[in-house]
Short mmCIF file of all heavy atoms in Angstrom, two decimals:
data_model
loop_
_atom_site.label_atom_id
_atom_site.label_comp_id
_atom_site.label_asym_id
_atom_site.label_seq_id
_atom_site.Cartn_x
_atom_site.Cartn_y
_atom_site.Cartn_z
N GLU R 27 280.34 125.27 56.65
CA GLU R 27 280.86 126.56 56.22
C GLU R 27 280.65 127.60 57.33
O GLU R 27 281.54 128.41 57.59
CB GLU R 27 280.16 126.99 54.94
CG GLU R 27 280.79 128.24 54.32
CD GLU R 27 280.13 128.59 52.99
OE1 GLU R 27 279.74 127.67 52.26
OE2 GLU R 27 280.01 129.78 52.74
N ASN R 28 279.50 127.58 57.97
CA ASN R 28 279.24 128.54 59.04
C ASN R 28 280.18 128.33 60.23
O ASN R 28 280.67 129.31 60.82
CB ASN R 28 277.79 128.45 59.51
CG ASN R 28 276.83 129.10 58.56
OD1 ASN R 28 277.20 129.98 57.79
ND2 ASN R 28 275.58 128.66 58.60
N ASN R 29 280.44 127.08 60.57
CA ASN R 29 281.35 126.80 61.68
C ASN R 29 282.77 127.26 61.37
O ASN R 29 283.46 127.81 62.23
CB ASN R 29 281.35 125.32 62.03
CG ASN R 29 280.15 124.93 62.84
OD1 ASN R 29 279.61 125.75 63.58
ND2 ASN R 29 279.73 123.70 62.71
N ARG R 30 283.21 127.04 60.16
CA ARG R 30 284.54 127.47 59.75
C ARG R 30 284.65 129.00 59.84
O ARG R 30 285.63 129.54 60.32
CB ARG R 30 284.85 126.97 58.35
CG ARG R 30 286.26 127.26 57.88
CD ARG R 30 286.59 126.67 56.52
NE ARG R 30 285.50 126.82 55.56
CZ ARG R 30 284.91 125.81 54.93
NH1 ARG R 30 285.31 124.58 55.13
NH2 ARG R 30 283.93 126.02 54.07
N ASP R 31 283.62 129.69 59.39
CA ASP R 31 283.58 131.15 59.44
C ASP R 31 283.63 131.64 60.88
O ASP R 31 284.34 132.58 61.20
CB ASP R 31 282.31 131.65 58.74
CG ASP R 31 282.25 133.16 58.68
OD1 ASP R 31 283.19 133.76 58.11
OD2 ASP R 31 281.27 133.73 59.20
N MET R 32 282.89 130.97 61.78
CA MET R 32 282.86 131.34 63.18
C MET R 32 284.25 131.23 63.80
O MET R 32 284.70 132.11 64.52
CB MET R 32 281.88 130.43 63.92
CG MET R 32 281.82 130.63 65.41
SD MET R 32 280.69 129.52 66.24
CE MET R 32 281.39 127.93 65.85
N VAL R 33 284.94 130.15 63.50
CA VAL R 33 286.28 129.94 64.05
C VAL R 33 287.26 130.96 63.48
O VAL R 33 288.06 131.54 64.22
CB VAL R 33 286.76 128.49 63.78
CG1 VAL R 33 288.23 128.32 64.13
CG2 VAL R 33 285.90 127.50 64.55
N GLN R 34 287.20 131.20 62.19
CA GLN R 34 288.12 132.15 61.55
C GLN R 34 287.95 133.56 62.10
O GLN R 34 288.91 134.30 62.25
CB GLN R 34 287.92 132.17 60.04
CG GLN R 34 288.47 130.95 59.35
CD GLN R 34 288.16 130.94 57.85
OE1 GLN R 34 287.29 131.69 57.38
NE2 GLN R 34 288.86 130.10 57.12
N LYS R 35 286.72 133.94 62.42
CA LYS R 35 286.44 135.29 62.93
C LYS R 35 286.50 135.37 64.45
O LYS R 35 286.16 136.38 65.04
CB LYS R 35 285.08 135.75 62.42
CG LYS R 35 285.09 135.95 60.92
CD LYS R 35 283.76 136.42 60.42
CE LYS R 35 283.82 136.60 58.90
NZ LYS R 35 282.52 136.99 58.35
N LYS R 36 286.96 134.28 65.07
CA LYS R 36 287.14 134.19 66.52
C LYS R 36 285.86 134.51 67.29
O LYS R 36 285.88 135.20 68.30
CB LYS R 36 288.30 135.08 66.97
CG LYS R 36 289.58 134.67 66.32
CD LYS R 36 290.76 135.38 66.87
CE LYS R 36 291.94 134.98 66.02
NZ LYS R 36 293.12 134.73 66.64
N ARG R 37 284.77 133.98 66.80
CA ARG R 37 283.49 134.15 67.48
C ARG R 37 283.14 132.93 68.31
O ARG R 37 282.14 132.93 69.01
CB ARG R 37 282.39 134.40 66.45
CG ARG R 37 282.55 135.73 65.77
CD ARG R 37 281.43 135.97 64.80
NE ARG R 37 281.64 137.23 64.11
CZ ARG R 37 281.16 137.51 62.93
NH1 ARG R 37 280.43 136.63 62.27
NH2 ARG R 37 281.39 138.68 62.37
N LYS R 38 283.95 131.91 68.24
CA LYS R 38 283.70 130.70 69.00
C LYS R 38 284.16 130.90 70.44
O LYS R 38 285.22 131.44 70.70
CB LYS R 38 284.47 129.53 68.38
CG LYS R 38 284.23 128.24 69.10
CD LYS R 38 284.93 127.08 68.45
CE LYS R 38 284.66 125.88 69.31
NZ LYS R 38 285.07 124.66 68.78
N SER R 39 283.34 130.45 71.38
CA SER R 39 283.70 130.56 72.79
C SER R 39 284.69 129.46 73.15
O SER R 39 284.48 128.29 72.84
CB SER R 39 282.46 130.40 73.66
OG SER R 39 281.59 131.47 73.46
N TYR R 40 285.76 129.83 73.80
CA TYR R 40 286.75 128.88 74.28
C TYR R 40 287.39 129.46 75.51
O TYR R 40 287.28 130.67 75.78
CB TYR R 40 287.80 128.56 73.20
CG TYR R 40 288.55 129.75 72.68
CD1 TYR R 40 289.71 130.17 73.30
CD2 TYR R 40 288.10 130.48 71.59
CE1 TYR R 40 290.40 131.27 72.85
CE2 TYR R 40 288.78 131.58 71.13
CZ TYR R 40 289.94 131.97 71.76
OH TYR R 40 290.62 133.07 71.32
N GLY R 41 288.05 128.62 76.26
CA GLY R 41 288.72 129.08 77.47
C GLY R 41 287.71 129.60 78.49
O GLY R 41 286.66 129.00 78.69
N GLU R 42 288.01 130.70 79.11
CA GLU R 42 287.14 131.27 80.14
C GLU R 42 285.81 131.76 79.56
O GLU R 42 284.83 131.87 80.29
CB GLU R 42 287.85 132.43 80.84
CG GLU R 42 288.98 131.98 81.73
CD GLU R 42 289.63 133.14 82.43
OE1 GLU R 42 289.01 133.69 83.36
OE2 GLU R 42 290.75 133.49 82.05
N ARG R 43 285.77 132.07 78.29
CA ARG R 43 284.54 132.57 77.67
C ARG R 43 283.50 131.48 77.52
O ARG R 43 282.32 131.76 77.37
CB ARG R 43 284.86 133.17 76.29
CG ARG R 43 285.68 134.44 76.39
CD ARG R 43 286.09 135.01 75.07
NE ARG R 43 285.11 134.79 74.00
CZ ARG R 43 285.37 134.96 72.72
NH1 ARG R 43 286.58 135.34 72.35
NH2 ARG R 43 284.45 134.75 71.82
N SER R 44 283.93 130.24 77.57
CA SER R 44 283.00 129.11 77.50
C SER R 44 282.28 128.98 78.83
O SER R 44 282.89 129.07 79.89
CB SER R 44 283.77 127.83 77.19
OG SER R 44 282.90 126.72 77.32
N GLY R 45 281.01 128.74 78.79
CA GLY R 45 280.24 128.61 80.02
C GLY R 45 280.45 127.28 80.72
O GLY R 45 279.95 127.08 81.82
N LEU R 46 281.18 126.37 80.13
CA LEU R 46 281.35 125.04 80.69
C LEU R 46 282.65 124.85 81.47
O LEU R 46 282.84 123.82 82.11
CB LEU R 46 281.29 124.00 79.56
CG LEU R 46 280.02 124.01 78.74
CD1 LEU R 46 280.14 123.04 77.56
CD2 LEU R 46 278.82 123.67 79.59
N THR R 47 283.55 125.79 81.41
CA THR R 47 284.87 125.61 82.02
C THR R 47 284.85 125.77 83.53
O THR R 47 284.06 126.53 84.07
CB THR R 47 285.89 126.58 81.40
OG1 THR R 47 287.18 126.24 81.88
CG2 THR R 47 285.60 128.02 81.75
N ARG R 48 285.71 125.05 84.19
CA ARG R 48 285.90 125.16 85.64
C ARG R 48 287.18 125.92 85.96
O ARG R 48 287.42 126.27 87.11
CB ARG R 48 286.01 123.79 86.27
CG ARG R 48 284.78 122.97 86.18
CD ARG R 48 285.00 121.66 86.86
NE ARG R 48 283.83 120.81 86.70
CZ ARG R 48 283.75 119.60 87.15
NH1 ARG R 48 284.77 119.05 87.78
NH2 ARG R 48 282.66 118.89 86.98
N LEU R 49 288.01 126.13 84.96
CA LEU R 49 289.34 126.71 85.18
C LEU R 49 289.42 128.12 84.62
O LEU R 49 288.62 128.52 83.78
CB LEU R 49 290.39 125.83 84.51
CG LEU R 49 290.43 124.38 84.99
CD1 LEU R 49 291.37 123.56 84.11
CD2 LEU R 49 290.85 124.30 86.43
N THR R 50 290.42 128.85 85.08
CA THR R 50 290.69 130.19 84.55
C THR R 50 292.07 130.19 83.91
O THR R 50 292.87 129.28 84.14
CB THR R 50 290.67 131.25 85.68
OG1 THR R 50 291.75 130.97 86.58
CG2 THR R 50 289.35 131.24 86.43
N ALA R 51 292.35 131.21 83.15
CA ALA R 51 293.66 131.32 82.51
C ALA R 51 294.78 131.36 83.55
O ALA R 51 295.85 130.78 83.35
CB ALA R 51 293.71 132.55 81.61
N ALA R 52 294.53 132.01 84.67
CA ALA R 52 295.54 132.08 85.73
C ALA R 52 295.82 130.69 86.30
O ALA R 52 296.98 130.34 86.57
CB ALA R 52 295.07 133.01 86.84
N TRP R 53 294.78 129.89 86.45
CA TRP R 53 294.97 128.53 86.97
C TRP R 53 295.72 127.67 85.97
O TRP R 53 296.51 126.82 86.36
CB TRP R 53 293.64 127.90 87.30
CG TRP R 53 292.98 128.45 88.55
CD1 TRP R 53 293.48 129.41 89.38
CD2 TRP R 53 291.73 128.07 89.08
NE1 TRP R 53 292.60 129.65 90.39
CE2 TRP R 53 291.51 128.84 90.23
CE3 TRP R 53 290.76 127.17 88.68
CZ2 TRP R 53 290.37 128.72 91.00
CZ3 TRP R 53 289.62 127.05 89.45
CH2 TRP R 53 289.43 127.82 90.61
N ILE R 54 295.48 127.90 84.68
CA ILE R 54 296.20 127.13 83.66
C ILE R 54 297.69 127.39 83.76
O ILE R 54 298.51 126.47 83.72
CB ILE R 54 295.68 127.48 82.25
CG1 ILE R 54 294.20 127.15 82.12
CG2 ILE R 54 296.50 126.79 81.17
CD1 ILE R 54 293.83 125.71 82.41
N GLY R 55 298.05 128.65 83.92
CA GLY R 55 299.47 129.00 84.10
C GLY R 55 300.05 128.35 85.33
O GLY R 55 301.19 127.86 85.32
N GLU R 56 299.28 128.33 86.40
CA GLU R 56 299.74 127.71 87.65
C GLU R 56 299.90 126.20 87.48
O GLU R 56 300.87 125.61 87.95
CB GLU R 56 298.74 128.02 88.76
CG GLU R 56 299.14 127.51 90.11
CD GLU R 56 300.33 128.22 90.71
OE1 GLU R 56 300.80 129.23 90.15
OE2 GLU R 56 300.83 127.75 91.75
N ILE R 57 298.96 125.55 86.80
CA ILE R 57 299.06 124.11 86.54
C ILE R 57 300.32 123.80 85.76
O ILE R 57 301.08 122.89 86.11
CB ILE R 57 297.80 123.61 85.79
CG1 ILE R 57 296.60 123.61 86.72
CG2 ILE R 57 298.03 122.22 85.19
CD1 ILE R 57 295.26 123.41 86.03
N ARG R 58 300.57 124.54 84.71
CA ARG R 58 301.77 124.30 83.89
C ARG R 58 303.04 124.56 84.68
O ARG R 58 304.03 123.84 84.54
CB ARG R 58 301.72 125.15 82.63
CG ARG R 58 300.67 124.65 81.65
CD ARG R 58 300.65 125.46 80.39
NE ARG R 58 299.65 124.92 79.47
CZ ARG R 58 298.95 125.66 78.64
NH1 ARG R 58 299.16 126.95 78.56
NH2 ARG R 58 298.04 125.10 77.86
N ARG R 59 303.04 125.59 85.51
CA ARG R 59 304.22 125.91 86.31
C ARG R 59 304.49 124.79 87.32
O ARG R 59 305.62 124.31 87.44
CB ARG R 59 304.03 127.24 87.04
CG ARG R 59 305.27 127.71 87.78
CD ARG R 59 305.00 128.95 88.61
NE ARG R 59 304.09 128.68 89.73
CZ ARG R 59 304.43 128.03 90.85
NH1 ARG R 59 305.65 127.57 91.00
NH2 ARG R 59 303.56 127.84 91.81
N LEU R 60 303.46 124.38 88.03
CA LEU R 60 303.63 123.33 89.05
C LEU R 60 304.07 122.01 88.42
O LEU R 60 304.94 121.32 88.96
CB LEU R 60 302.32 123.12 89.82
CG LEU R 60 301.93 124.24 90.77
CD1 LEU R 60 300.51 124.04 91.27
CD2 LEU R 60 302.91 124.34 91.92
N TYR R 61 303.47 121.66 87.31
CA TYR R 61 303.85 120.41 86.66
C TYR R 61 305.25 120.50 86.07
O TYR R 61 306.01 119.53 86.12
CB TYR R 61 302.84 120.04 85.56
CG TYR R 61 303.12 118.69 84.96
CD1 TYR R 61 302.83 117.53 85.67
CD2 TYR R 61 303.70 118.56 83.70
CE1 TYR R 61 303.10 116.29 85.14
CE2 TYR R 61 303.96 117.32 83.17
CZ TYR R 61 303.67 116.19 83.89
OH TYR R 61 303.93 114.96 83.36
N GLY R 62 305.62 121.66 85.57
CA GLY R 62 306.94 121.85 84.96
C GLY R 62 308.08 121.75 85.95
O GLY R 62 309.20 121.39 85.58
N THR R 63 307.82 122.03 87.21
CA THR R 63 308.87 121.92 88.22
C THR R 63 309.17 120.47 88.57
O THR R 63 310.21 120.18 89.16
CB THR R 63 308.48 122.66 89.52
OG1 THR R 63 307.32 122.05 90.07
CG2 THR R 63 308.24 124.13 89.27
N GLY R 64 308.26 119.56 88.20
CA GLY R 64 308.48 118.14 88.45
C GLY R 64 308.10 117.70 89.85
O GLY R 64 308.21 116.53 90.18
N GLY R 65 307.62 118.61 90.66
CA GLY R 65 307.29 118.24 92.04
C GLY R 65 305.87 117.80 92.26
O GLY R 65 305.55 117.26 93.31
N VAL R 66 304.99 118.03 91.27
CA VAL R 66 303.57 117.71 91.45
C VAL R 66 303.11 116.83 90.29
O VAL R 66 303.35 117.15 89.13
CB VAL R 66 302.72 119.00 91.51
CG1 VAL R 66 301.28 118.69 91.80
CG2 VAL R 66 303.27 119.97 92.55
N SER R 67 302.43 115.74 90.62
CA SER R 67 301.95 114.83 89.58
C SER R 67 300.65 115.35 88.96
O SER R 67 299.97 116.21 89.53
CB SER R 67 301.71 113.44 90.15
OG SER R 67 300.56 113.44 90.97
N GLN R 68 300.31 114.81 87.83
CA GLN R 68 299.06 115.19 87.17
C GLN R 68 297.86 114.80 88.04
O GLN R 68 296.89 115.55 88.11
CB GLN R 68 298.95 114.52 85.80
CG GLN R 68 299.90 115.10 84.79
CD GLN R 68 299.72 114.50 83.41
OE1 GLN R 68 298.78 113.77 83.14
NE2 GLN R 68 300.66 114.80 82.52
N ARG R 69 297.93 113.68 88.70
CA ARG R 69 296.82 113.25 89.58
C ARG R 69 296.63 114.22 90.74
O ARG R 69 295.51 114.54 91.12
CB ARG R 69 297.05 111.84 90.10
CG ARG R 69 296.83 110.80 89.05
CD ARG R 69 297.03 109.42 89.60
NE ARG R 69 297.10 108.48 88.51
CZ ARG R 69 296.39 107.38 88.45
NH1 ARG R 69 295.56 107.08 89.41
NH2 ARG R 69 296.51 106.58 87.42
N GLU R 70 297.73 114.66 91.32
CA GLU R 70 297.65 115.61 92.43
C GLU R 70 297.06 116.94 91.95
O GLU R 70 296.22 117.53 92.64
CB GLU R 70 299.04 115.85 93.03
CG GLU R 70 299.60 114.66 93.77
CD GLU R 70 301.04 114.84 94.17
OE1 GLU R 70 301.81 115.52 93.45
OE2 GLU R 70 301.41 114.28 95.22
N LEU R 71 297.48 117.38 90.78
CA LEU R 71 296.94 118.62 90.22
C LEU R 71 295.45 118.48 89.93
O LEU R 71 294.67 119.39 90.22
CB LEU R 71 297.69 119.01 88.94
CG LEU R 71 299.11 119.50 89.13
CD1 LEU R 71 299.83 119.60 87.79
CD2 LEU R 71 299.11 120.86 89.83
N ALA R 72 295.06 117.35 89.38
CA ALA R 72 293.66 117.12 89.06
C ALA R 72 292.80 117.19 90.33
O ALA R 72 291.75 117.83 90.33
CB ALA R 72 293.50 115.76 88.39
N LYS R 73 293.27 116.58 91.38
CA LYS R 73 292.53 116.60 92.63
C LYS R 73 292.45 118.02 93.20
O LYS R 73 291.40 118.45 93.66
CB LYS R 73 293.20 115.66 93.64
CG LYS R 73 292.41 115.44 94.89
CD LYS R 73 293.04 114.37 95.76
CE LYS R 73 292.20 114.14 96.99
NZ LYS R 73 292.80 113.14 97.87
N SER R 74 293.55 118.76 93.14
CA SER R 74 293.60 120.12 93.66
C SER R 74 292.67 121.07 92.92
O SER R 74 292.05 121.94 93.52
CB SER R 74 295.02 120.68 93.59
OG SER R 74 295.88 119.94 94.38
N PHE R 75 292.57 120.90 91.60
CA PHE R 75 291.80 121.83 90.79
C PHE R 75 290.40 121.30 90.45
O PHE R 75 289.63 121.98 89.76
CB PHE R 75 292.56 122.18 89.51
CG PHE R 75 293.72 123.09 89.76
CD1 PHE R 75 294.99 122.57 90.00
CD2 PHE R 75 293.56 124.46 89.78
CE1 PHE R 75 296.07 123.40 90.24
CE2 PHE R 75 294.63 125.31 90.02
CZ PHE R 75 295.88 124.78 90.25
N GLY R 76 290.06 120.11 90.90
CA GLY R 76 288.73 119.57 90.71
C GLY R 76 288.40 119.15 89.29
O GLY R 76 287.26 119.29 88.84
N VAL R 77 289.41 118.67 88.58
CA VAL R 77 289.21 118.19 87.21
C VAL R 77 289.84 116.80 87.09
O VAL R 77 290.47 116.32 88.03
CB VAL R 77 289.83 119.16 86.16
CG1 VAL R 77 289.12 120.51 86.18
CG2 VAL R 77 291.31 119.34 86.38
N SER R 78 289.70 116.18 85.94
CA SER R 78 290.26 114.84 85.75
C SER R 78 291.75 114.90 85.41
O SER R 78 292.25 115.94 84.96
CB SER R 78 289.52 114.12 84.63
OG SER R 78 289.77 114.75 83.40
N GLN R 79 292.41 113.78 85.59
CA GLN R 79 293.83 113.69 85.24
C GLN R 79 294.01 113.88 83.74
O GLN R 79 294.98 114.50 83.31
CB GLN R 79 294.40 112.35 85.70
CG GLN R 79 295.87 112.15 85.39
CD GLN R 79 296.11 111.56 84.01
OE1 GLN R 79 295.35 110.74 83.52
NE2 GLN R 79 297.17 112.00 83.37
N SER R 80 293.08 113.37 82.94
CA SER R 80 293.20 113.53 81.49
C SER R 80 293.08 115.00 81.09
O SER R 80 293.74 115.44 80.14
CB SER R 80 292.17 112.68 80.76
OG SER R 80 290.86 113.06 81.12
N CYS R 81 292.28 115.77 81.81
CA CYS R 81 292.18 117.21 81.55
C CYS R 81 293.53 117.88 81.82
O CYS R 81 293.98 118.71 81.02
CB CYS R 81 291.09 117.80 82.44
SG CYS R 81 290.89 119.58 82.26
N ILE R 82 294.17 117.53 82.92
CA ILE R 82 295.49 118.09 83.25
C ILE R 82 296.50 117.70 82.17
O ILE R 82 297.30 118.52 81.73
CB ILE R 82 295.96 117.61 84.63
CG1 ILE R 82 295.01 118.08 85.73
CG2 ILE R 82 297.39 118.06 84.91
CD1 ILE R 82 294.93 119.58 85.92
N SER R 83 296.44 116.46 81.73
CA SER R 83 297.36 115.99 80.69
C SER R 83 297.22 116.83 79.42
O SER R 83 298.22 117.24 78.82
CB SER R 83 297.09 114.52 80.39
OG SER R 83 297.89 114.08 79.31
N LEU R 84 295.99 117.09 79.01
CA LEU R 84 295.76 117.90 77.81
C LEU R 84 296.27 119.32 77.99
O LEU R 84 296.78 119.94 77.06
CB LEU R 84 294.27 117.90 77.46
CG LEU R 84 293.70 116.57 76.96
CD1 LEU R 84 292.18 116.64 76.91
CD2 LEU R 84 294.28 116.21 75.61
N ILE R 85 296.15 119.85 79.19
CA ILE R 85 296.62 121.21 79.48
C ILE R 85 298.14 121.28 79.40
O ILE R 85 298.69 122.16 78.73
CB ILE R 85 296.12 121.68 80.86
CG1 ILE R 85 294.61 121.91 80.81
CG2 ILE R 85 296.85 122.94 81.30
CD1 ILE R 85 293.96 122.10 82.17
N VAL R 86 298.83 120.36 80.07
CA VAL R 86 300.30 120.44 80.09
C VAL R 86 300.92 120.11 78.73
O VAL R 86 302.02 120.58 78.43
CB VAL R 86 300.93 119.57 81.21
CG1 VAL R 86 300.48 120.05 82.58
CG2 VAL R 86 300.62 118.11 81.03
N ARG R 87 300.21 119.34 77.91
CA ARG R 87 300.70 119.05 76.56
C ARG R 87 300.23 120.10 75.55
O ARG R 87 300.51 119.99 74.36
CB ARG R 87 300.24 117.66 76.12
CG ARG R 87 300.91 116.54 76.89
CD ARG R 87 300.54 115.17 76.39
NE ARG R 87 299.10 114.93 76.54
CZ ARG R 87 298.33 114.39 75.61
NH1 ARG R 87 298.82 114.01 74.45
NH2 ARG R 87 297.04 114.22 75.82
N ARG R 88 299.52 121.11 76.04
CA ARG R 88 299.01 122.23 75.23
C ARG R 88 298.06 121.80 74.12
O ARG R 88 298.00 122.41 73.06
CB ARG R 88 300.15 123.08 74.67
CG ARG R 88 300.96 123.73 75.78
CD ARG R 88 301.99 124.69 75.25
NE ARG R 88 302.80 125.22 76.32
CZ ARG R 88 302.49 126.30 77.03
NH1 ARG R 88 301.41 126.98 76.77
NH2 ARG R 88 303.28 126.72 77.99
N LYS R 89 297.31 120.74 74.37
CA LYS R 89 296.25 120.31 73.46
C LYS R 89 294.97 121.08 73.75
O LYS R 89 294.18 121.32 72.86
CB LYS R 89 295.98 118.80 73.59
CG LYS R 89 297.18 117.94 73.26
CD LYS R 89 297.51 118.02 71.80
CE LYS R 89 298.69 117.09 71.48
NZ LYS R 89 299.06 117.15 70.09
N ASN R 90 294.77 121.43 75.02
CA ASN R 90 293.69 122.31 75.45
C ASN R 90 294.32 123.56 76.03
O ASN R 90 295.43 123.53 76.53
CB ASN R 90 292.82 121.65 76.52
CG ASN R 90 291.87 120.62 75.96
OD1 ASN R 90 291.80 120.43 74.75
ND2 ASN R 90 291.15 119.96 76.83
N TRP R 91 293.60 124.65 75.97
CA TRP R 91 294.06 125.93 76.50
C TRP R 91 295.38 126.36 75.85
O TRP R 91 296.23 126.98 76.46
CB TRP R 91 294.22 125.87 78.01
CG TRP R 91 292.93 125.75 78.77
CD1 TRP R 91 292.26 124.60 79.04
CD2 TRP R 91 292.15 126.80 79.34
NE1 TRP R 91 291.13 124.88 79.74
CE2 TRP R 91 291.02 126.22 79.94
CE3 TRP R 91 292.30 128.18 79.40
CZ2 TRP R 91 290.06 126.95 80.59
CZ3 TRP R 91 291.35 128.91 80.05
CH2 TRP R 91 290.23 128.30 80.63
N HIS R 92 295.55 126.03 74.57
CA HIS R 92 296.79 126.37 73.87
C HIS R 92 296.93 127.87 73.65
O HIS R 92 298.03 128.35 73.38
CB HIS R 92 296.89 125.62 72.54
CG HIS R 92 295.66 125.71 71.71
ND1 HIS R 92 295.41 126.75 70.86
CD2 HIS R 92 294.59 124.89 71.63
CE1 HIS R 92 294.23 126.56 70.28
NE2 HIS R 92 293.71 125.43 70.73
N HIS R 93 295.85 128.62 73.81
CA HIS R 93 295.91 130.07 73.63
C HIS R 93 296.48 130.78 74.86
O HIS R 93 296.76 131.96 74.82
CB HIS R 93 294.51 130.61 73.32
CG HIS R 93 293.51 130.39 74.41
ND1 HIS R 93 292.92 129.16 74.62
CD2 HIS R 93 293.04 131.22 75.34
CE1 HIS R 93 292.10 129.27 75.66
NE2 HIS R 93 292.15 130.50 76.10
N VAL R 94 296.68 130.05 75.95
CA VAL R 94 297.20 130.63 77.19
C VAL R 94 298.69 130.30 77.30
O VAL R 94 299.09 129.15 77.16
CB VAL R 94 296.45 130.06 78.43
CG1 VAL R 94 297.05 130.60 79.72
CG2 VAL R 94 294.97 130.38 78.32
N ASP R 95 299.50 131.31 77.58
CA ASP R 95 300.95 131.09 77.73
C ASP R 95 301.31 130.68 79.12
O ASP R 95 300.78 130.98 80.08
CB ASP R 95 301.72 132.35 77.35
CG ASP R 95 301.66 132.61 75.86
OD1 ASP R 95 301.56 131.65 75.09
OD2 ASP R 95 301.71 133.80 75.49
#
């Protein structure tokens, strides 16, 4: 119940507010833009931004960082 309340009141840390993230909202936009043009692979993006390919996959499919346009 407490966790549900925290999420509903937007008190949960996510995105840049989380202390565990390596990325910023600006970088997320750049990742999506680069991948959307079709010229850069997920592996290349992962290497450039210092994260895993699966992390990039979740970002471009909007499973993670869905709050960023």
